[in-house]
């Protein structure tokens, strides 16, 4: 295409394929945004540095030579460096004389550097050494030109080294680079859809700026901003991992070249945090200890969810619930997109299609069987003088301003104002509106969408006179306000153009103008990417204060620390095989970002998926931490019962998910207490096995449950990577794969089959399943115990966390939770399985029992063993039934000389909250 001024225009699709965005890119802009620009700055020299009483170091940097590319350099910078913990180092650089924007300390709590000094005099360098050492990390610096490096003590690795290019620090342009070894594997820097998989790919663009464009746009800045990466290195067969966070909410391009990484940021400051690891789980523990532990999720949130934009009335929703029950497909949560609203207005009900009394009766019905109900709310508040939410918002002065008046935008209701969640009054008003709505409709959670913030218009707009806007006909996302571009300020037209939307779109395009103003004069230019985060904070505070229960919130836009408050889905995807594959990388990335409760729209948001694709997608989506089918208004219906073949795949895959609910819920506890992702790349458990570093077609749940799905059309087999060790099929415990050094194995995968394998040395707690998590939760437990095939000696471990999931917190010591460590050993032919229970009363009061224990990989004969339970022999004819089966080798039989056995014990009736010990001697 050619734009009106004759320059080439780049077009891209967004939200729906029915509209195109065209952005004109001048030659100057394209050149200015290239990573290989002319010299932008000549760096800084260190003119003073000293130790502080709190154990930090503070220095002053002076610019060497000023130039005006992207604006003048800031003459003096203040350097502040501190080892904040044994494994976390902070490097903070800002204007030495003037306060600059940084992420608010009340929103992301952390230590504050000392106050800036107005009178700065050149001093001698009082530190006699150029190193500042902590327990594991060492900060070193060179004075002229100034650069710094971060090293690991234990192996001498350099984790970050800025000496390759000059430090640049201007009002609206900051640049810093680090060298990287060529064999470093990097992960993170999102949110984006990465065609090459979860591992960062050299020369792919990585732009961070929250934007409402759909996930079908590859390598573009999507809904969230997470300027953090994990660096995994393998040195002589031993792995080392560290993390690097640049805590900055301004728009930025990050150029990864394989042997270097360069940040180009359009505001704020440099606030680096380095996390020493050395394992991936260590990094996540350290990272979430700083940004906030992931929110505890209620038990029912791990059930299956169904949503659609286009449930036109309540009877359709009732039919959906009834049809899931008829099809015997598990369903825990039914959702409404904005169909329930009156004219798309937040906190309202459509009186005709969703009459209040009938909705309350429906909610009583589903609540009585344990199901839940969630609705959407968007941040844009309709400008409507008869609308109570708007009236109270205006009375409390809660909206973002432009030139002293609320900033006018357009979203689904038409003309809207955006609440300013950085304003304490807005947080209180928002909480009150949620309270009012909850009194009207007792929803079980909230879905905060469009919070990038999304705007169907750009620039300064007014409500048109003499026409209805929106008209009520045609697409609702076409701008109908009278608008004009805002390019007069340096905030709306910054000197450096980040690669916004993948096409150098203006930073205020289809969102809030960047020169709009928040509370205390904060510019949207600076605070843009934390809008969804600030709304998440306010929504979480409101829900937690409502009934004292554990909130469930789903947010589209996220930032560093959002996982403390919300779950995330990956936004508007397509019903394509490519999008199915991309969903795995997106899910794994959010685990690294500290948002473990994540999933993608199963079967795709739009357009219609094929029947085969929907079969395969539920076989993946059943194992997303957050598992929801969601479709577009304009797509055909795609609930899982719409095709009998998909219903069969759903019963199979979701049937297994519901058996795994106690395991998923325990992973939820681990995530909340240590930051460990629920869904993980394989390298988390096998960090020294380099073959899995770039693997994005398989994933782990927890440390040892591996999902290997079919991701290609027409395939009935899957080639899966098995890291070294023994793996057992969860759908047939006798199917065994022995992978001595790690190998690819071709597995059968007919249409209704998904391959799920459990690793050796694991104890997996499961239950019998059901159609609603409330019922599944009360069924008997069974423990799956795995040893390395044919092991004569071995140990296995597992754990189980149980609680009252209405509690706002997830911890022990409250009288309403139980934690169990399971252990098993095999030695000299004796097998023992036992438990160590903490605070067993809660589990005992619930009456949970362990009915079955299956032990896999045992060496011995098929003779029935003599069982002892808590030291007492279980006589023949007792309730305990013993079964012995021989394992079938799907791969690697030659690795084990003898046949291996599965021993099953049934009818044990062991109280979950009581310590137990089961043992027997295998026949020789």
């Amino acid at each position: 295409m050619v734009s009106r001024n004759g320059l080439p225009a780049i077009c891209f699709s967004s939200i729906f394929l029915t509209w195109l965005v065209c952005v004109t890119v001048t030659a100057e802009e394209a050149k200015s945004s290239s990573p290989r620009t002319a010299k932008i700055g000549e760096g800084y020299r260190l003119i003073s540095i000293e130790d502080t009483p709190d154990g930090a170091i503070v220095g002053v940097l002076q610019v060497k030579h000023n130039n005006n590319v992207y604006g003048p350099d800031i003459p003096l910078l203040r350097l502040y460096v501190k080892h904040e913990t044994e494994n976390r180092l902070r490097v903070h650089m800002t204007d030495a004389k003037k306060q600059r924007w940084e992420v608010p300390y009340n929103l992301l709590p952390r230590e504050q550097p000392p106050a800036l000094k107005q009178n700065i005099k050149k001093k001698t360098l009082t530190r006699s050494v150029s190193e500042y050492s902590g327990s594991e990390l060492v900060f070193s610096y060179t004075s002229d030109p100034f650069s710094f490096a971060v090293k690991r003590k234990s192996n001498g690795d350099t984790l970050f080294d800025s000496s390759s290019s000059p430090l640049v620090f201007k009002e609206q342009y900051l640049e810093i680079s680090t060298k990287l070894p060529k064999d470093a594997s990097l992960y993170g820097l999102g949110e984006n859809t990465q065609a090459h998989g979860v591992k960062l790919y050299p020369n792919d663009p990585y732009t961070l700026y929250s934007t409402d464009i759909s996930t079908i746009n590859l390598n573009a800045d999507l809904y969230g901003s997470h300027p953090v990466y994990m660096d995994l290195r393998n040195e002589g067969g031993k792995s080392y991992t560290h993390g690097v966070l640049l805590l900055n909410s301004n728009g930025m391009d990050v150029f990864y070249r394989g042997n270097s990484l360069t940040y180009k940021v359009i505001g704020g400051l440099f606030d680096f945090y380095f996390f020493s690891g050395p394992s991936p789980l260590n990094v996540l523990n350290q990272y979430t200890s700083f940004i906030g532990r992931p929110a505890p999720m209620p038990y029912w949130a791990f059930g299956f969810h169904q949503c659609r934009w286009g449930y036109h009335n309540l009877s359709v929703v009732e039919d959906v619930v009834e049809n899931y029950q008829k099809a015997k497909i598990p369903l825990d949560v039914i959702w409404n997109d904005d169909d329930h609203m009156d004219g798309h207005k937040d906190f309202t009900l459509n009186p005709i299609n969703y009459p209040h009394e009938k909705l309350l009766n429906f909610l009583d019905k589903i609540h009585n069987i344990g199901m839940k109900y969630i609705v959407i709310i968007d941040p844009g508040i309709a400008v409507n003088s008869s609308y109570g939410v708007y009236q109270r918002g205006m009375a409390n002065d809660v909206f973002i301003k432009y030139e002293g008046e609320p900033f006018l935008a357009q979203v689904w209701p038409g003309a809207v104002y955006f609440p300013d969640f950085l304003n304490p009054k807005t947080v209180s008003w928002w909480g009150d509106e949620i309270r009012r709505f909850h009194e009207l409709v007792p929803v079980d959670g909230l879905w905060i969408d469009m919070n990038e913030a999304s705007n169907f218009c750009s620039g300064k707009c007014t409500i048109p006179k003499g026409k209805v806007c929106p008209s009520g006909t045609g697409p609702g996302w076409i701008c109908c306000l009278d608008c004009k571009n805002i390019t007069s300020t340096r905030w709306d037209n910054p000197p450096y153009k980040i690669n916004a939307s993948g096409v150098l779109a203006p930073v205020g395009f289809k969102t809030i103008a960047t020169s709009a103003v928040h509370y205390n004069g904060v510019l949207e230019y600076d605070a843009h990417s934390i809008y969804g985060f600030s709304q998440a904070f306010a929504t979480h505070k409101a829900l937690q204060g409502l009934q004292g229960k554990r909130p469930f919130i789903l947010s589209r836009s996220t930032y560093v620390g959002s996982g403390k408050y919300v779950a995330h889905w990956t936004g508007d995807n397509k019903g394509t095989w490519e999008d199915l594959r991309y969903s795995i990388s997106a899910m794994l990335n959010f685990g690294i970002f500290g948002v473990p409760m994540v999933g993608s729209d199963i079967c795709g948001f739009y357009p219609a998926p094929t029947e085969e694709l929907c079969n395969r997608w539920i076989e993946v989506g059943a194992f997303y931490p957050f598992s929801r089918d969601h479709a577009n208004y304009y797509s055909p219906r795609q609930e899982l019962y719409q095709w009998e073949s998909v219903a069969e795949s759903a019963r199979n895959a979701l049937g297994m998910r519901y058996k795994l609910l106690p395991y998923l819920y325990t992973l939820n506890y681990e995530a909340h207490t240590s930051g460990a992702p629920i869904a993980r790349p394989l390298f988390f458990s096998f960090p020294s096995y380099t073959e899995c570093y770039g693997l994005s077609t398989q994933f782990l749940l927890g440390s040892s449950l591996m999902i290997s799905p079919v991701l290609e059309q027409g395939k009935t087999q899957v080639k899966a990577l098995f890291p070294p060790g023994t793996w057992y099929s969860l759908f047939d415990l006798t199917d065994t794969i022995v992978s001595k050094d790690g190998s690819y194995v071709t597995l059968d995968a007919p249409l209704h089959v998904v391959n799920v394998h459990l690793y050796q040395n694991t104890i997996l707690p499961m239950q019998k399943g059901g159609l609603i998590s409330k019922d599944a939760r009360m069924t008997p437990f069974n423990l799956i115990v795995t040893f390395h095939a044919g092991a004569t000696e071995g140990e296995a471990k597992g754990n189980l966390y149980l609680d009252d999931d209405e509690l706002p917190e997830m911890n022990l010591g409250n009288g309403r939770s139980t934690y169990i460590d399971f252990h098993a050993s095999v030695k000299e032919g004796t097998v023992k399985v036992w438990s160590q229970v903490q605070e067993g009363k809660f589990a005992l009061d619930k009456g949970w029992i362990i009915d079955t224990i299956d032990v896999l990989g045992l060496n011995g004969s098929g003779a029935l063993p003599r069982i002892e339970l808590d030291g007492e022999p279980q006589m023949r004819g007792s309730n305990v039934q013993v079964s012995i089966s021989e394992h079938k080798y799907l791969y690697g039989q030659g690795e084990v000389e003898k046949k291996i056995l599965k021993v099953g014990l049934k009818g044990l009736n062991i109280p979950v909250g009581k310590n137990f010990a089961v043992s027997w001697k295998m026949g020789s």
Side-chain angles (χ1 to χ4, degrees), residues 37 40-41 44 69-74 77 91-95 100-102 165-177 246-255 261-272 491 494-496 498 525-526:
T37 58
I40 299 165
Y44 286 77
V69 180
Y70 303 139
D73 297 282
I74 291 176
L77 303 180
V91 179
H92 183 279
M93 287 182 276
T94 189
D95 189 328
R100 287 179 64 84
W101 163 258
E102 50 188 326
S165 63
L167 172 70
V168 181
F169 206 119
K170 301 168 186 278
E171 180 67 35
Q172 289 181 263
Y173 182 81
L174 287 65
E175 181 179 324
I176 194 169
S177 297
L246 172 56
L247 188 60
N248 182 304
S249 65
N250 290 81
M252 68 180 78
D253 289 328
V254 186
F255 294 99
L261 188 141
T262 300
Y263 298 89
K264 299 190 173 196
V265 194
I266 61 171
L269 43 72
F270 286 129
D271 195 5
F272 281 104
W491 311 115
Y496 176 80
I498 62 169
Y525 181 86
D526 294 315

Side-chain angles (χ1 to χ4, degrees), residues 698 706 708-710 712 715-722 735-739 742-750 753-755 757 889-892:
Q698 298 167 246
M706 185 169 71
S708 305
V710 171
E712 295 178 75
K715 300 290 186 182
T716 57
Q717 292 182 321
V718 61
K719 186 179 179 182
L721 179 65
F722 284 82
D735 284 351
T736 308
I737 288 173
V738 179
S739 177
S743 51
Y744 279 93
V745 180
T746 299
L747 304 170
D748 285 333
V753 170
V754 58
N755 281 280
H757 287 85
Y889 286 96
L890 298 182
Y891 181 84

Side-chain angles (χ1 to χ4, degrees), residues 480-742:
C480 58
L481 301 177
D482 289 337
C483 304
K484 62 180 180 180
N485 287 338
I486 306 171
T487 58
S488 56
T489 78
R490 59 194 175 99
W491 311 115
D492 298 293
N493 187 28
Y496 176 80
K497 309 296 188 278
I498 62 169
N499 192 30
S501 303
V503 291
L504 297 173
V507 288
F509 183 74
K510 297 270 183 176
T511 187
I512 301 167
T514 47
S515 51
V517 179
H518 292 254
Y519 178 70
N520 270 351
V522 170
L523 286 168
E524 170 70 9
Y525 181 86
D526 294 315
H528 172 79
S529 287
I530 63 169
Y531 190 80
F533 180 33
S534 63
Q535 186 194 18
F537 171 82
T539 307
H540 187 273
K541 183 176 181 181
L543 284 181
Q544 197 165 58
L546 201 58
Q547 294 179 312
K549 293 183 178 181
R550 188 177 304 174
F552 178 84
I553 305 164
L554 185 72
S555 179
R556 189 166 76 175
S557 186
T558 58
Y559 183 72
V560 174
S562 286
K564 184 178 179 181
Y565 307 109
V566 298
H568 174 66
W569 95 108
T570 61
D572 297 350
N573 59 358
K574 287 175 69 177
T576 69
W577 293 93
E578 290 79 13
D579 283 71
L580 171 59
R581 289 194 292 274
Y582 301 152
S583 75
I584 295 177
S585 297
M587 169 183 66
L588 298 179
N589 262 325
F590 270 87
I592 292 171
F593 298 150
V595 189
M597 190 63 165
V598 59
S600 295
D601 285 346
I602 292 170
C603 299
F605 181 58
Y606 71 100
T610 65
E611 183 176 347
E612 181 191 359
L613 175 60
C614 210
N615 270 278
R616 292 310 190 184
W617 208 316
I618 187 56
E619 291 169 0
V620 179
F623 301 98
Y624 293 153
F626 172 64
S627 183
R628 184 183 72 160
D629 182 311
H630 179 219
N632 181 356
Y633 185 98
Y634 296 95
S635 297
R637 297 284 291 271
Q638 64 180 48
E639 292 85 3
L640 301 178
Y641 54 77
Q642 296 288 346
W643 302 272
E644 179 48 43
S645 71
V646 176
E648 184 177 341
S649 293
R651 285 188 289 268
N652 190 42
L654 288 173
M656 180 58 74
R657 179 188 182 90
Y658 273 62
K659 293 176 183 178
L660 288 168
L661 286 176
Y663 179 63
L664 289 169
Y665 194 66
T666 301
L667 294 177
N668 175 36
Y669 173 71
E670 290 180 7
H672 180 56
T673 53
S674 72
I678 296 172
R680 309 172 190 176
L682 268 64
F683 69 76
F684 266 68
S685 289
F686 304 95
S688 296
Y689 183 51
T690 57
E691 188 70 25
C692 67
Y693 284 10
L695 188 67
S696 303
T697 54
Q698 298 167 246
F699 59 95
L700 294 172
L701 291 177
S703 62
S704 46
L705 194 65
M706 185 169 71
I707 320 300
S708 305
V710 171
L711 303 173
E712 295 178 75
Q713 184 176 0
K715 300 290 186 182
T716 57
Q717 292 182 321
V718 61
K719 186 179 179 182
L721 179 65
F722 284 82
T726 303
W727 298 84
Y728 300 93
S729 169
L730 204 58
F731 283 95
D732 183 346
L733 297 177
T734 61
D735 284 351
T736 308
I737 288 173
V738 179
S739 177
K740 183 179 179 184
D741 299 313

Side-chain angles (χ1 to χ4, degrees), residues 36-281:
R36 295 185 177 92
T37 58
K39 184 173 285 188
I40 299 165
E42 297 184 37
Y44 286 77
R45 65 171 63 89
L46 184 68
I47 61 172
S48 75
I49 191 163
E50 57 188 343
D51 297 284
T52 67
D54 67 345
I57 59 173
V58 175
V60 176
L61 307 175
Q62 183 180 60
V63 70
K64 288 173 69 70
H65 298 287
N66 187 44
N67 77 39
N68 287 308
V69 180
Y70 303 139
D73 297 282
I74 291 176
L76 294 173
L77 303 180
R78 199 273 303 276
L79 169 71
Y80 173 77
V81 185
K82 186 176 183 183
H83 292 281
E84 293 188 337
T85 70
E86 291 184 352
N87 45 49
R88 184 174 82 228
L89 170 69
R90 184 183 192 182
V91 179
H92 183 279
M93 287 182 276
T94 189
D95 189 328
K97 292 190 172 185
K98 178 184 167 186
Q99 193 76 34
R100 287 179 64 84
W101 163 258
E102 50 188 326
V103 176
Y105 282 80
N106 64 334
L107 199 56
L108 188 67
R110 58 200 189 278
E111 290 185 40
Q112 293 212 36
L116 299 171
K117 296 179 181 179
Q118 292 303 308
N119 297 316
I120 298 173
K121 298 179 181 178
K122 184 172 181 178
K123 302 176 183 178
T124 57
L125 303 182
T126 56
R127 300 191 90 250
S128 58
V129 293
S130 60
E131 282 194 351
Y132 168 53
S133 185
S135 298
E136 176 56 7
L137 297 177
V138 178
F139 175 85
S140 62
Y141 57 89
T142 301
S143 299
D144 190 6
F146 173 76
S147 67
F148 74 89
V150 178
K151 296 183 180 180
R152 190 197 303 280
K153 264 188 181 179
S154 59
N155 66 347
D157 257 5
T158 299
L159 311 186
F160 196 94
D161 179 359
S162 73
S163 64
S164 59
S165 63
L167 172 70
V168 181
F169 206 119
K170 301 168 186 278
E171 180 67 35
Q172 289 181 263
Y173 182 81
L174 287 65
E175 181 179 324
I176 194 169
S177 297
T178 179
K179 299 175 185 176
L180 291 168
K182 287 186 177 180
D183 60 350
S185 296
L186 269 56
Y187 309 87
L189 295 179
E191 179 181 6
N192 58 34
T193 299
Q194 298 171 194
H196 292 107
V198 69
K199 183 178 170 182
L200 298 191
Y201 193 80
N203 302 315
D204 273 356
Y206 297 97
T207 297
L208 281 71
Y209 188 76
S210 296
T211 308
D212 173 15
I213 62 170
S214 67
T215 61
I216 69 172
N217 293 280
L218 303 181
N219 299 118
D221 45 319
L222 301 179
Y223 310 105
S225 176
H226 293 270
V228 61
Y229 69 87
M230 180 183 287
D231 183 331
L232 170 62
R233 303 176 188 180
N234 190 296
E235 298 167 11
K238 186 170 176 58
S239 66
Y240 296 88
T241 311
H242 67 273
V244 179
L245 166 68
L246 172 56
L247 188 60
N248 182 304
S249 65
N250 290 81
M252 68 180 78
D253 289 328
V254 186
F255 294 99
Y256 171 49
R257 298 300 182 206
N259 59 1
S260 69
L261 188 141
T262 300
Y263 298 89
K264 299 190 173 196
V265 194
I266 61 171
L269 43 72
F270 286 129
D271 195 5
F272 281 104
Y273 290 83
F274 300 92
F275 306 91
S276 66
S279 75
L281 282 176

Side-chain angles (χ1 to χ4, degrees), residues 848-901:
W848 283 307
I849 63 159
I850 299 169
D851 175 70
T852 306
I853 297 177
D854 288 303
V855 184
L856 315 184
L858 294 173
N859 198 352
S861 74
L864 289 176
R866 294 182 60 191
I867 307 297
E868 288 189 358
L869 175 58
D870 296 329
E872 296 292 325
Q874 301 298 296
M875 300 300 181
R876 297 281 173 87
S878 73
N879 290 329
V880 179
Q881 303 165 35
V882 182
S883 63
I884 296 178
S885 308
E886 186 174 340
H887 285 278
K888 305 183 293 288
Y889 286 96
L890 298 182
Y891 181 84
Q893 182 172 2
E895 308 292 347
V896 182
E897 294 180 3
K898 297 181 180 180
K899 67 180 182 181
I900 53 171
L901 304 175

